[in-house]
Every structure is written in C-alpha cells, then in structure tokens.
Amino acid sequence: MTWASIDLNADLGEGFGRWRLTEDEQLLSVVTSANVACGFHAGDAATMRRVCAWAAERGVRIGAQVSYRDLAGFGRRSMDVPSDELAAEIAYQIGALEVFARAAGARVAYVKPHGALYNRVVHDGEQAEAVVEGVMLSGERLPLLGLPGSVLHERAEKAGLPVVTEAFADRAYTAAGTLVPRGQEGAVITDPAAVVERSVCMARFGVVTSRCGQPVNVRARSLCLHGDTPGAVDLARRVRAQLESAGVRVEAFV
C-alpha cells in the first residue's frame, strides 16, 4: 500500500532545563508533525511551552510523546508499570502538553509512545491497553501513532481510536517488521544517502529492506526523522526535498 502524501514527524523538546538535545526551531521548518516530549523521558514546562508556540506559528501539528517515567534513562528502559498507574501517567502527560498547545492557539492532535514504551506496546497487550486507556482518560479520542500491525493499534481500533502507521527513516528493521533494538550493531542508519533513499522507497512503495536483506511491508502514513541524530536538520531537509522531487506530497496526517 502506498500513499499520495506522507507526514514527516520528529521527536522534539527533548531537553531539560539548560540542557538541549534537539534543534527544535530549525526542524519545525521542515517537519509537519512534532512529537513533543512531555516531561517523563525529557522536556520540562518551559520547553513544552516554547516548542508548542513555535509549532503553532508554523502550522505544525502537535503530538504528545508519552513515555515511562525515566528521565535518567531517556525513556529507553522497559519498565513494569502497573496498568492503572501507566494509564494515569499517559493521561497526565497529554494533559500537561495540552495546556501549552492551547496557550499557543493549537491543540494536541495525536499521541505517540516513546522509546521502550513504543517498542513494548508492539507486542504487550496489557501495556498497550494501558496506553489506550490513558488516551481515553485524557478526554480526547486522539489518533495513536505506531508501528503497522502492533498490538497498540489493534487495541486502539477496538476502543474506537484512530490509528496512524509509522515508519523510521534511520532505523534498521527486522524481517518481522519490528525495529532492531538500539543495543545491536547497525540498529541506527547513519549514512545520509541511505536514509534519503529509504525514505523515498517507504513513501512511494511502502517497502523497506530489512537488516537481513528481505523486503518488509511498512505501509507508513508518517515517517519519523529523529531529532537527536547528528546533522538532523540538514538530513530532514534532504529527505523532504527528495520526497517532493519524487512526487510525494509532504503534509500532516491530521
């Protein structure tokens, strides 16, 4: 399955206090959706407010990037959080970001789990249910961004929530269509030319080559460009330019 258009999203606001990780303002001139850290793996109130204001000025959709409560591990450590507690924490993060989105004249438009939580809810039904419950608890029937075929999407659809399929320009895939864990060699694609080529292939044909050389159907409606990748702004610009040159419309999914 291919799309006449594709959304470009990036993880933004991933700093804390005086520490900055992502080039938020520059990336917001390229992407169409911003996954804003909500304070649990990164981000703080001032950062959320600033990124929401910049996104609203540029017409970029604001998404809540929700995570395990893991500032020290950047949300990349899997945690066994009780379902009711996780649901409450998801709703809490969405609500916090919504305050700043509204102050900027916008709204939170979707939700995307981050890091270990993102990978966990591909297969873990209990944690996926908790994420869905948290979205429902927030009071909005927000779309959930995630991997095609994930348990998260299955549970979200059962609850009546919209789902949006996502692919990763700079992450290696297994033959099963999941992401190669970051701890393994080759998990992150660092060659800019390869990232650009993969992006166009996924957008036009819905296919990416796995680490073992097999084609994988990704069916992506949104393409993630990691904001913490070295040279992220230049790479994002190259990806967008090449997509548009290939006849792919770059526009938000919501």
Side-chain angles (χ1 to χ4, degrees):
M1 186 175 185
T2 58
W3 304 93
S5 66
I6 197 161
D7 171 65
L8 291 181
N9 77 75
D11 301 345
L12 302 179
E14 290 185 325
F16 192 81
R18 297 180 64 184
W19 177 65
R20 300 285 184 268
L21 178 62
T22 49
E23 298 181 75
D24 299 325
E25 192 169 13
Q26 295 93 326
L27 281 166
L28 283 165
S29 68
V30 183
V31 301
T32 48
S33 296
N35 317 317
V36 184
C38 298
F40 271 38
H41 76 281
D44 55 36
T47 302
M48 286 189 279
R49 182 181 184 183
R50 182 171 58 248
V51 174
C52 284
W54 285 338
E57 287 172 2
R58 293 159 176 77
V60 175
R61 301 300 186 270
I62 297 169
Q65 189 169 39
V66 297
S67 171
Y68 289 124
R69 188 188 293 270
D70 182 27
L71 275 175
F74 197 60
R76 287 181 176 160
R77 300 181 291 191
S78 186
M79 299 176 136
D80 293 323
V81 182
S83 295
D84 58 345
E85 183 178 334
L86 180 58
E89 292 186 340
I90 297 300
Y92 179 92
Q93 292 175 79
I94 296 169
L97 188 64
E98 178 69 6
V99 168
F100 300 116
R102 288 193 181 197
R107 298 290 300 271
V108 172
Y110 65 94
V111 176
K112 175 183 173 178
H114 165 80
L117 182 60
Y118 186 98
N119 292 316
R120 181 83 172 260
V121 296
V122 171
H123 301 296
D124 189 319
E126 184 176 344
Q127 298 272 281
E129 287 276 9
V131 172
V132 170
E133 183 184 345
V135 175
M136 302 289 283
L137 185 60
S138 76
E140 301 290 342
R141 304 185 75 80
L142 297 169
L144 270 163
L145 191 59
L147 279 186
S150 64
V151 174
L152 175 65
H153 277 182
E154 174 191 315
R155 301 300 168 85
E157 288 179 325
K158 285 183 179 179
L161 295 178
V163 299
V164 181
T165 52
E166 180 181 35
F168 291 80
D170 59 355
R171 290 294 308 277
Y173 279 79
T174 70
T178 57
L179 300 179
V180 174
R182 280 184 175 269
Q184 295 185 18
E185 184 178 354
V188 179
I189 311 298
T190 57
D191 178 12
V195 173
V196 171
E197 181 182 359
R198 286 158 56 90
S199 298
V200 173
C201 188
M202 286 187 281
R204 292 191 64 197
F205 308 114
V207 174
V208 66
T209 302
S210 71
R211 188 172 60 170
C212 60
Q214 296 180 346
V216 176
N217 186 352
V218 290
R219 299 176 288 111
R221 179 63 187 87
S222 185
L223 184 65
C224 180
L225 303 170
H226 280 104
D228 60 345
T229 301
V233 175
D234 179 63
L235 182 57
R237 288 174 178 152
R238 288 179 60 180
V239 167
R240 178 159 186 163
Q242 196 60 41
L243 286 168
E244 292 174 339
S245 294
V248 178
R249 294 196 311 277
V250 178
E251 59 185 9
F253 60 83
V254 291

Coordinates of all heavy atoms in Angstrom, one line a residue, residues 150-206:
S150 N 0.9 -3.5 15.1 CA 1.2 -3.5 16.5 C -0.1 -3.9 17.3 O -1.2 -3.6 16.9 CB 1.8 -2.2 17.0 OG 0.8 -1.2 16.9
V151 N 0.2 -4.4 18.5 CA -1.0 -4.7 19.4 C -1.6 -3.4 19.8 O -2.8 -3.3 20.0 CB -0.5 -5.5 20.6 CG1 -1.6 -5.6 21.7 CG2 0.0 -6.9 20.2
L152 N -0.8 -2.3 19.9 CA -1.3 -1.0 20.3 C -2.4 -0.6 19.3 O -3.4 -0.1 19.7 CB -0.2 0.0 20.3 CG -0.6 1.5 20.6 CD1 -1.2 1.6 22.0 CD2 0.5 2.4 20.3
H153 N -2.1 -0.7 18.0 CA -3.1 -0.3 17.0 C -4.3 -1.2 17.1 O -5.5 -0.7 16.9 CB -2.5 -0.3 15.7 CG -1.7 0.9 15.3 ND1 -1.1 1.1 14.1 CD2 -1.5 2.0 16.1 CE1 -0.5 2.3 14.1 NE2 -0.7 2.9 15.3
E154 N -4.1 -2.5 17.4 CA -5.3 -3.4 17.5 C -6.2 -3.0 18.6 O -7.4 -2.9 18.5 CB -4.7 -4.8 17.7 CG -5.8 -5.9 18.0 CD -5.2 -7.2 18.5 OE1 -4.2 -7.6 17.9 OE2 -5.7 -7.7 19.4
R155 N -5.6 -2.7 19.8 CA -6.4 -2.3 20.9 C -7.0 -0.9 20.8 O -8.1 -0.7 21.2 CB -5.5 -2.4 22.2 CG -4.9 -3.7 22.5 CD -6.0 -4.8 22.7 NE -5.4 -6.1 22.6 CZ -4.9 -6.8 23.7 NH1 -4.9 -6.2 24.9 NH2 -4.5 -8.0 23.6
A156 N -6.3 0.0 20.1 CA -6.8 1.3 19.9 C -8.1 1.3 19.0 O -9.1 1.9 19.2 CB -5.8 2.2 19.3
E157 N -8.0 0.5 17.9 CA -9.1 0.3 17.0 C -10.3 -0.2 17.7 O -11.5 0.2 17.4 CB -8.7 -0.5 15.8 CG -7.7 0.3 14.8 CD -7.3 -0.6 13.6 OE1 -7.2 -1.8 13.8 OE2 -7.1 0.0 12.6
K158 N -10.1 -1.2 18.6 CA -11.2 -1.8 19.3 C -11.9 -0.8 20.2 O -13.1 -0.8 20.5 CB -10.7 -3.0 20.2 CG -10.4 -4.2 19.3 CD -10.0 -5.4 20.3 CE -9.8 -6.7 19.5 NZ -9.3 -7.8 20.3
A159 N -11.1 0.2 20.7 CA -11.6 1.2 21.6 C -12.2 2.4 20.8 O -12.7 3.4 21.3 CB -10.5 1.7 22.5
G160 N -12.1 2.3 19.4 CA -12.6 3.4 18.6 C -11.7 4.6 18.4 O -12.1 5.6 17.9
L161 N -10.4 4.4 18.7 CA -9.4 5.4 18.5 C -8.8 5.3 17.1 O -8.5 4.2 16.6 CB -8.3 5.4 19.5 CG -8.7 5.7 21.0 CD1 -7.4 5.5 21.8 CD2 -9.3 7.0 21.1
P162 N -8.6 6.4 16.4 CA -7.9 6.4 15.1 C -6.5 5.9 15.3 O -5.8 6.2 16.3 CB -7.9 7.8 14.6 CG -9.0 8.5 15.4 CD -9.0 7.8 16.8
V163 N -5.9 5.2 14.3 CA -4.5 4.8 14.3 C -3.8 5.3 13.1 O -4.4 5.5 12.0 CB -4.4 3.3 14.4 CG1 -5.0 2.8 15.7 CG2 -4.9 2.6 13.2
V164 N -2.5 5.6 13.2 CA -1.7 6.1 12.1 C -0.4 5.2 12.1 O 0.3 5.1 13.1 CB -1.3 7.6 12.3 CG1 -0.5 8.1 11.1 CG2 -2.6 8.4 12.4
T165 N -0.1 4.7 10.9 CA 1.0 3.8 10.8 C 2.3 4.7 10.6 O 2.2 5.7 9.9 CB 0.9 2.8 9.6 OG1 0.5 3.6 8.4 CG2 -0.2 1.8 9.9
E166 N 3.4 4.2 11.1 CA 4.6 5.0 11.1 C 5.8 4.1 10.6 O 5.9 2.9 10.9 CB 4.9 5.5 12.5 CG 6.2 6.3 12.6 CD 6.4 6.8 14.0 OE1 6.1 6.1 15.0 OE2 7.0 7.9 14.2
A167 N 6.7 4.8 9.9 CA 8.0 4.1 9.6 C 9.1 5.0 10.0 O 9.0 6.2 10.3 CB 8.0 3.9 8.1
F168 N 10.3 4.4 10.0 CA 11.5 5.1 10.5 C 12.6 5.2 9.4 O 13.0 4.2 9.0 CB 12.1 4.4 11.8 CG 11.2 4.6 13.0 CD1 10.1 3.8 13.1 CD2 11.4 5.6 13.9 CE1 9.2 3.9 14.2 CE2 10.6 5.7 15.0 CZ 9.5 4.9 15.2
A169 N 13.0 6.4 9.1 CA 13.9 6.6 8.0 C 15.3 6.1 8.4 O 16.1 5.6 7.6 CB 14.0 8.1 7.6
D170 N 15.7 6.2 9.7 CA 17.0 6.0 10.1 C 17.2 4.8 11.1 O 18.2 4.7 11.8 CB 17.6 7.2 10.7 CG 16.9 7.7 12.0 OD1 15.8 7.1 12.3 OD2 17.3 8.7 12.6
R171 N 16.2 3.9 11.1 CA 16.3 2.7 11.9 C 16.2 1.5 11.1 O 15.5 1.4 10.2 CB 15.1 2.7 13.0 CG 15.3 3.8 14.0 CD 16.5 3.6 15.0 NE 16.5 2.2 15.5 CZ 15.8 1.9 16.6 NH1 15.1 2.7 17.2 NH2 15.9 0.6 17.0
A172 N 17.1 0.5 11.5 CA 17.1 -0.8 10.8 C 15.8 -1.6 11.3 O 15.4 -1.5 12.4 CB 18.3 -1.6 11.1
Y173 N 15.3 -2.4 10.3 CA 14.2 -3.3 10.6 C 14.6 -4.8 10.6 O 15.5 -5.2 9.9 CB 13.1 -3.1 9.5 CG 12.3 -1.9 9.6 CD1 12.8 -0.6 9.3 CD2 11.0 -2.0 10.1 CE1 12.0 0.5 9.4 CE2 10.2 -0.8 10.3 CZ 10.7 0.4 9.9 OH 9.9 1.5 10.1
T174 N 13.8 -5.5 11.4 CA 13.9 -7.0 11.3 C 13.0 -7.5 10.2 O 12.2 -6.7 9.7 CB 13.5 -7.6 12.6 OG1 12.1 -7.5 12.8 CG2 14.2 -7.0 13.8
A175 N 13.2 -8.8 9.9 CA 12.3 -9.3 8.8 C 10.9 -9.4 9.2 O 10.0 -9.5 8.4 CB 12.8 -10.8 8.5
A176 N 10.6 -9.3 10.6 CA 9.2 -9.3 11.1 C 8.6 -7.9 11.0 O 7.4 -7.8 11.4 CB 9.2 -9.9 12.5
G177 N 9.3 -6.9 10.6 CA 8.8 -5.6 10.5 C 8.9 -4.8 11.8 O 8.3 -3.7 11.9
T178 N 9.7 -5.3 12.8 CA 9.9 -4.5 14.0 C 11.3 -3.8 13.9 O 12.1 -4.2 13.1 CB 9.9 -5.4 15.2 OG1 10.8 -6.5 15.1 CG2 8.5 -6.0 15.4
L179 N 11.5 -2.9 14.8 CA 12.8 -2.2 14.8 C 13.9 -3.0 15.5 O 13.7 -3.7 16.5 CB 12.7 -0.9 15.6 CG 11.6 0.1 15.0 CD1 11.6 1.4 15.9 CD2 11.9 0.5 13.6
V180 N 15.1 -3.0 14.9 CA 16.2 -3.7 15.5 C 16.6 -2.9 16.8 O 16.7 -1.7 16.8 CB 17.4 -3.7 14.6 CG1 18.7 -4.2 15.3 CG2 17.1 -4.5 13.3
P181 N 16.7 -3.6 17.9 CA 17.0 -2.9 19.2 C 18.2 -2.1 19.1 O 19.2 -2.4 18.5 CB 17.2 -4.1 20.2 CG 16.4 -5.2 19.6 CD 16.5 -5.1 18.1
R182 N 18.2 -0.9 19.8 CA 19.3 0.1 19.7 C 20.6 -0.5 20.2 O 21.7 0.0 19.7 CB 18.9 1.3 20.4 CG 18.0 2.3 19.7 CD 17.8 3.6 20.5 NE 17.0 4.5 19.7 CZ 17.5 5.5 18.9 NH1 18.8 5.5 18.8 NH2 16.8 6.3 18.3
G183 N 20.6 -1.5 21.0 CA 21.8 -2.0 21.6 C 22.5 -2.9 20.6 O 23.7 -3.3 20.8
Q184 N 21.9 -3.2 19.4 CA 22.5 -4.1 18.5 C 23.2 -3.3 17.4 O 22.8 -2.2 17.0 CB 21.5 -5.0 17.8 CG 20.8 -6.0 18.8 CD 19.9 -7.0 18.1 OE1 19.9 -7.2 16.9 NE2 19.0 -7.6 18.9
E185 N 24.3 -3.9 16.9 CA 25.1 -3.2 15.8 C 24.2 -2.9 14.6 O 23.5 -3.8 14.1 CB 26.3 -4.0 15.4 CG 27.2 -3.3 14.4 CD 28.4 -4.2 14.1 OE1 28.6 -5.2 14.8 OE2 29.2 -3.8 13.2
G186 N 24.3 -1.7 14.0 CA 23.6 -1.4 12.8 C 22.1 -1.0 13.0 O 21.4 -0.9 12.1
A187 N 21.7 -0.9 14.3 CA 20.3 -0.5 14.6 C 19.9 0.9 14.0 O 18.8 1.1 13.7 CB 20.1 -0.6 16.1
V188 N 20.9 1.8 14.0 CA 20.6 3.1 13.5 C 21.4 3.3 12.2 O 22.6 3.0 12.1 CB 21.1 4.2 14.6 CG1 20.9 5.6 14.1 CG2 20.4 4.0 15.9
I189 N 20.7 3.8 11.2 CA 21.3 4.1 9.9 C 21.9 5.5 9.9 O 21.2 6.4 10.2 CB 20.2 4.0 8.8 CG1 19.4 2.7 8.9 CG2 20.9 4.1 7.4 CD1 20.1 1.5 8.8
T190 N 23.2 5.5 9.7 CA 23.9 6.8 9.8 C 24.3 7.4 8.5 O 24.7 8.6 8.4 CB 25.2 6.6 10.7 OG1 26.0 5.6 10.1 CG2 24.8 6.2 12.1
D191 N 24.2 6.7 7.4 CA 24.6 7.2 6.1 C 23.4 8.0 5.5 O 22.4 7.5 5.3 CB 24.9 6.0 5.1 CG 25.2 6.5 3.7 OD1 25.5 7.7 3.5 OD2 25.2 5.6 2.8
P192 N 23.6 9.3 5.4 CA 22.6 10.2 4.9 C 22.0 9.8 3.6 O 20.7 9.9 3.4 CB 23.2 11.6 4.8 CG 24.4 11.5 5.7 CD 24.9 10.1 5.7
A193 N 22.8 9.3 2.7 CA 22.3 8.9 1.4 C 21.3 7.7 1.5 O 20.3 7.6 0.8 CB 23.4 8.6 0.4
A194 N 21.7 6.8 2.4 CA 20.8 5.6 2.6 C 19.5 6.0 3.3 O 18.5 5.5 2.9 CB 21.6 4.6 3.5
V195 N 19.6 7.0 4.2 CA 18.4 7.4 4.9 C 17.4 8.1 3.9 O 16.2 7.8 3.9 CB 18.7 8.4 6.0 CG1 17.4 9.1 6.6 CG2 19.5 7.7 7.1
V196 N 17.9 8.9 3.0 CA 17.1 9.6 2.0 C 16.5 8.5 1.0 O 15.3 8.6 0.7 CB 18.0 10.6 1.2 CG1 17.2 11.1 0.0 CG2 18.4 11.7 2.1
E197 N 17.3 7.6 0.6 CA 16.8 6.6 -0.3 C 15.7 5.7 0.3 O 14.7 5.4 -0.3 CB 18.0 5.7 -0.8 CG 17.6 4.6 -1.8 CD 18.7 3.7 -2.2 OE1 19.9 3.9 -1.7 OE2 18.5 2.7 -3.0
R198 N 15.9 5.3 1.5 CA 14.9 4.5 2.2 C 13.6 5.3 2.4 O 12.5 4.8 2.3 CB 15.5 4.1 3.6 CG 16.5 3.0 3.6 CD 17.4 3.0 4.8 NE 16.6 2.9 6.1 CZ 16.2 1.7 6.6 NH1 16.7 0.6 6.1 NH2 15.5 1.7 7.7
S199 N 13.8 6.6 2.7 CA 12.6 7.4 2.9 C 11.7 7.4 1.7 O 10.5 7.3 1.8 CB 13.0 8.8 3.3 OG 13.7 8.8 4.5
V200 N 12.3 7.7 0.5 CA 11.5 7.7 -0.7 C 10.9 6.4 -1.0 O 9.8 6.3 -1.4 CB 12.4 8.2 -1.9 CG1 11.7 8.1 -3.2 CG2 12.9 9.6 -1.6
C201 N 11.7 5.3 -0.8 CA 11.1 3.9 -1.1 C 9.9 3.6 -0.2 O 8.9 3.1 -0.6 CB 12.3 2.9 -0.9 SG 11.8 1.2 -1.4
M202 N 10.0 4.0 1.1 CA 8.9 3.7 2.0 C 7.7 4.6 1.7 O 6.6 4.1 1.7 CB 9.3 4.0 3.4 CG 10.3 2.9 4.0 SD 10.6 3.1 5.8 CE 11.9 4.4 5.7
A203 N 7.9 5.8 1.3 CA 6.8 6.7 1.0 C 6.1 6.3 -0.3 O 4.9 6.3 -0.4 CB 7.3 8.2 0.9
R204 N 6.9 5.9 -1.3 CA 6.3 5.6 -2.7 C 5.8 4.2 -2.8 O 4.8 4.0 -3.4 CB 7.4 5.9 -3.8 CG 7.7 7.3 -4.0 CD 8.5 7.5 -5.2 NE 7.8 7.2 -6.4 CZ 8.3 6.9 -7.6 NH1 9.6 7.0 -7.8 NH2 7.6 6.6 -8.6
F205 N 6.5 3.3 -2.2 CA 6.2 1.8 -2.4 C 5.8 1.1 -1.1 O 5.4 -0.1 -1.2 CB 7.4 1.1 -3.0 CG 7.9 1.8 -4.3 CD1 9.1 2.4 -4.3 CD2 7.1 1.9 -5.4 CE1 9.6 3.1 -5.4 CE2 7.5 2.6 -6.5 CZ 8.8 3.2 -6.5
G206 N 5.9 1.7 0.1 CA 5.5 1.1 1.3 C 6.4 -0.1 1.7 O 6.0 -1.0 2.3

